[in-house]
Amino acid sequence: MKRTKKNEALRSLALLCLLIGIGLGLKAQESGLAKSASSGLSEPGQDSLAYSAYLSSARSYAHQDALEQAFQQLELAIEKGAGRDVVYYDAAFKALKDKYGPELDRLLQEQYQGQYPEAVKAEMGYKIWSWYLDEEQEIKPLRSMEHPPTPSQMELIREQREERRDALLEIIEEIGWPRNSEVGEKAGEACFFLIQHSPPKILKKCLPLFIEVAMAGEADKAKAALMVDRFLVNKEGVQIFGTQAGRSANSGEALSQQKLSLYPIADEANLNQRRKALGLPAIEEYCKQLKVDYVPIEERPDYEPIKLKEKWRKKGYLLGT
């Protein structure tokens, strides 16, 4: 009995650490990339001034339980550019989604396909994009950690994340890493976010496919660099592009208060050249975004260079830099 309780506690702790990692340090890394390389995750052409009046009207009708009128106004808001991330998760539309869910999803899918008229797999792209938005909604409350989730909630989130990831892996198994021109840029970006926190064995399988597509101009090289670093940090404790940072555990400190520092970087003397080639900011600026104290190598008495490995070059990990 004691061992069972201990195992359950360890499992809960592991899940909590996973979710906190997504919400804190790892998300900070993504924010840093978003400032330097277009993420493509906002709705193209989305102008809140164009649809805000319709959206407000839809909310007003929804609060009055006038769902038909609410749906009509929401349809107009979608025509004016309100995307799934704006309308689908609005608590005011819960009853409306229960009644008009399929119709609402159809409108949003048509909107997505209209944004990428030449994407031959836009329907698939909308599905992938929707998975990403669903995941964002699930982990959003966890970023502040003002109200920590219960073990059962954490388990449910983990299961849902793995279901979406496995569904995407089936797609990747069938067609390779989805190309921006086929599924739309938002879905292409979403693939990265859905896969990046996977175990090393999954990253090892996906990384060559991601690199191939990125080198063909069909995916974001900056995101590919982040995945390369993430994989290498997990497998070899070193990175190439300086995108990965971790927190140093100190007794008595909350996880969010623990110091964030970069993992070791190979060929650090030429790091900024590689980052510039991918459109990433200089490491000094990036560390400011992450609130990491970066000390230049010439100011580190104990600095020892780490060589780039030839096997990394052969596998394309340097992404042409």
Side-chain angles (χ1 to χ4, degrees):
M1 179 65 73
K2 289 183 179 179
R3 177 169 294 183
T4 299
K5 289 183 177 180
K6 181 178 180 181
N7 289 340
E8 291 176 353
L10 289 173
R11 183 175 178 80
S12 297
L13 178 61
L15 287 169
L16 179 60
C17 290
L18 170 65
L19 295 171
I20 292 174
I22 296 171
L24 295 172
L26 296 174
K27 196 62 185 179
Q29 295 165 28
E30 293 152 20
S31 297
L33 280 175
K35 292 179 182 178
S36 58
S38 173
S39 69
L41 293 178
S42 58
E43 299 286 350
Q46 191 178 71
D47 182 356
S48 62
L49 293 177
Y51 63 71
S52 58
Y54 296 113
L55 201 59
S56 296
S57 181
R59 290 194 186 102
S60 179
Y61 279 122
H63 287 310
Q64 300 171 44
D65 290 328
L67 299 184
E68 183 176 353
Q69 293 91 330
F71 183 73
Q72 290 171 353
Q73 293 299 303
L74 199 56
E75 185 173 8
L76 291 171
I78 292 171
E79 288 179 3
K80 293 295 183 180
R84 181 184 174 96
D85 54 341
V86 173
V87 305
Y88 201 78
Y89 308 100
D90 193 318
F93 301 136
K94 184 178 184 303
L96 184 148
K97 283 200 304 180
D98 291 341
K99 183 174 182 179
Y100 294 102
E103 292 93 334
L104 180 60
D105 205 53
R106 175 183 56 79
L107 289 172
L108 293 170
Q109 180 175 316
E110 289 175 355
Q111 181 196 65
Y112 185 94
Q113 291 173 317
Q115 291 165 356
Y116 301 106
E118 297 182 1
V120 295
K121 296 182 174 69
E123 184 175 349
M124 176 188 292
Y126 173 72
K127 183 185 297 184
I128 296 171
W129 168 238
S130 299
W131 291 338
Y132 165 74
L133 292 178
D134 289 347
E135 186 159 303
E136 277 290 286
Q137 288 298 310
E138 289 173 2
I139 67 176
K140 185 183 294 183
L142 304 179
R143 293 194 177 119
S144 67
M145 296 308 296
E146 293 177 0
H147 304 288
T150 64
S152 60
Q153 289 173 325
M154 291 191 295
E155 180 67 20
L156 178 61
I157 291 173
R158 183 190 66 80
E159 290 176 355
Q160 291 172 334
R161 290 183 72 243
E162 289 184 355
E163 285 178 6
R164 286 188 286 266
R165 182 199 68 200
D166 291 346
L168 177 55
L169 288 173
E170 289 182 6
I171 291 175
I172 292 173
E173 184 73 27
E174 180 181 350
I175 69 169
W177 190 272
R179 294 172 174 262
N180 287 351
S181 64
E182 295 181 340
V183 298
E185 290 183 10
K186 289 187 296 185
E189 294 286 314
C191 289
F192 162 77
F193 286 108
L194 290 166
I195 292 295
Q196 68 160 334
H197 297 297
S198 300
K201 64 179 182 179
I202 292 178
L203 294 182
K204 183 178 180 179
K205 183 178 181 180
C206 292
L207 193 52
L209 303 175
F210 190 13
I211 290 173
E212 178 185 1
V213 170
M215 293 302 293
E218 289 279 4
D220 185 356
K221 281 188 180 181
K223 295 297 190 299
L226 198 152
M227 189 175 286
V228 166
D229 278 357
R230 186 167 180 79
F231 175 71
L232 286 178
V233 164
N234 282 324
K235 295 297 289 184
E236 302 189 41
V238 67
Q239 57 183 324
I240 296 174
F241 299 99
T243 65
Q244 299 293 299
R247 297 192 183 275
S248 303
N250 291 314
S251 178
E253 287 186 339
L255 184 62
S256 61
Q257 300 300 315
Q258 293 168 11
K259 185 177 180 180
L260 193 65
S261 59
L262 294 174
Y263 290 102
I265 302 168
D267 187 31
E268 194 170 348
N270 296 305
L271 172 61
N272 276 334
Q273 294 179 25
R274 295 193 295 275
R275 292 180 64 86
K276 184 178 180 180
L278 299 180
L280 295 171
I283 192 64
E284 293 83 359
E285 177 61 29
Y286 183 62
C287 285
K288 287 180 182 178
Q289 295 169 4
L290 294 186
K291 297 182 179 179
V292 169
D293 293 329
Y294 180 75
V295 179
I297 58 178
E298 58 269 18
E299 297 179 17
R300 287 181 244 160
D302 57 347
Y303 172 71
E304 295 184 7
I306 302 173
K307 291 184 178 181
L308 291 169
K309 296 183 179 180
E310 185 60 28
K311 68 176 183 179
W312 297 344
R313 296 183 187 276
K314 291 180 179 179
K315 292 180 179 180
Y317 290 175
L318 270 68
L319 296 168
T321 61

